[in-house]
Amino acid sequence: GAGIGIARLPNATIRAMLMAFGAGALLEALSIELFGHIIHQQSVVGPEVVWLAIGAGIFGGCFFAALNKVLNEQGAFVRKVSTVKSAARR
């Protein structure tokens, strides 16, 4: 992959897709590592910890989505060039 990138740089769309895939793979690996450890420890600490971890994950995702929406409505969309362009077209 590095040789291809050096020989011929992919266009911005392909680079964005590859970076998004890499970020998703990293988050998935982290999630599996953390939740796998929690499930492995379930026999020691009890099943309540697993449900607590699942609830915390769902809460964290919802909190992030809600906070992102509020910030974008308050003008934080300016932090990205693509969102500024789409807002200017409206």
Side-chain angles (χ1 to χ4, degrees), residues 48-60:
E48 297 84 17
V49 175
V50 174
W51 289 110
L52 180 65
I54 291 170
I58 292 170
F59 173 78

Side-chain angles (χ1 to χ4, degrees), residues 29-62:
L30 178 64
S31 298
I32 288 172
E33 184 68 27
L34 291 175
F35 281 103
H37 182 70
I38 290 170
I39 291 172
H40 182 70
Q41 294 295 322
Q42 176 184 1
S43 61
V44 176
V45 294
E48 297 84 17
V49 175
V50 174
W51 289 110
L52 180 65
I54 291 170
I58 292 170
F59 173 78
C62 293

